[in-house]
Each structure stands twice: as C-alpha cells, then as structure tokens.
Amino acid sequence: MRNEIISLERQVWEALVQGDAAADRALLHPDFIGVYSDGFADRDGHTGQLSDGPTVRTYELSDIEVKSLGADHALICYCAEFQRVRHDATELMYVSSIWRKGPAGWVNVYSQDTPAA
C-alpha cells in the first residue's frame, strides 16, 4: 500500500507540473476537500487552478510517512519543496492527504497544506 499511495500522491504533483486538469480530476473524489492557507477548495477548485496550464515547475517530496486508517483509507504526510511557475523562490510546505479505496481504485478525499515556518 505504501508505494501505491506515494505513487498516487506524486501523480497529483505531476498533474500540476503538466497542467493536466483531467488527470488531476481523476485522482480526486467528487467530495474532495482541500484546506489551504487561502481557504478551502473542492475538486473543481483544485482542478480549476490548472485552467491556464501548469502551476508547479519542480517539486521534491521528502520525509514521507504513510499510515493505514483502516481497510480502505490511508494517510500520507510529507514535506514538499517546490517552485511555482513564474516564481523564482522555492517554497516549503507540509502536506497531509487522505486516500480512500473504492471499486475503481484509490481517490484523494482530503488534503491539507501547511506552509513551513
């Protein structure tokens, strides 16, 4: 399960790098909720950020932890170092995401980003 969840989380990041809203949408549950420094986002909000193309230029994930939350849920927590498109500065944040396994596979139901101090 650990490697599968890490791979799925990286696919979300790759969708941001590629500007692929369809790939991003496919990874998110219809009732997805994201908690960010600027507020909440649903699935449309998360995928909508890609309407003008890629939002992330580069990223690196470290300190990855994956925990089972029962038979059909998993939590992934990690540190993300990334650079946004059209920005020179590298940002650092801590991310936690909950994935749920259903008949069609794993989907992301919740994510929270916390900027590093």
Side-chain angles (χ1 to χ4, degrees):
M1 174 190 69
R2 174 181 162 70
N3 290 339
E4 186 174 16
I5 298 299
I6 293 171
S7 174
L8 289 164
E9 193 74 19
R10 288 186 191 279
Q11 287 176 47
V12 172
W13 280 94
E14 285 300 319
L16 300 178
V17 169
Q18 300 301 320
D20 190 341
D24 188 47
R25 186 174 190 81
L27 292 162
L28 304 179
H29 188 275
D31 292 330
F32 170 84
I33 183 92
V35 180
Y36 307 112
S37 60
D38 61 349
F40 301 107
D42 59 11
R43 182 167 76 169
D44 289 340
H46 195 279
T47 60
Q49 67 181 316
L50 299 171
S51 62
D52 293 328
T55 58
V56 172
R57 182 177 300 152
T58 62
Y59 72 94
E60 184 69 37
L61 309 183
S62 62
D63 300 326
I64 300 171
E65 297 283 337
V66 177
K67 305 290 183 191
S68 173
L69 298 177
D72 59 354
H73 287 81
L75 169 69
I76 182 171
C77 301
Y78 57 91
C79 182
E81 184 174 353
F82 64 102
Q83 185 180 27
R84 295 182 195 272
V85 171
R86 295 182 288 280
H87 288 85
D88 292 331
T90 299
E91 297 178 52
L92 192 65
M93 70 181 172
Y94 295 96
V95 179
S96 58
S97 294
I98 297 175
W99 290 80
R100 180 167 73 188
K101 189 173 187 178
W106 290 93
V107 288
N108 187 239
V109 296
Y110 172 85
S111 186
Q112 181 169 357
D113 298 350
T114 305

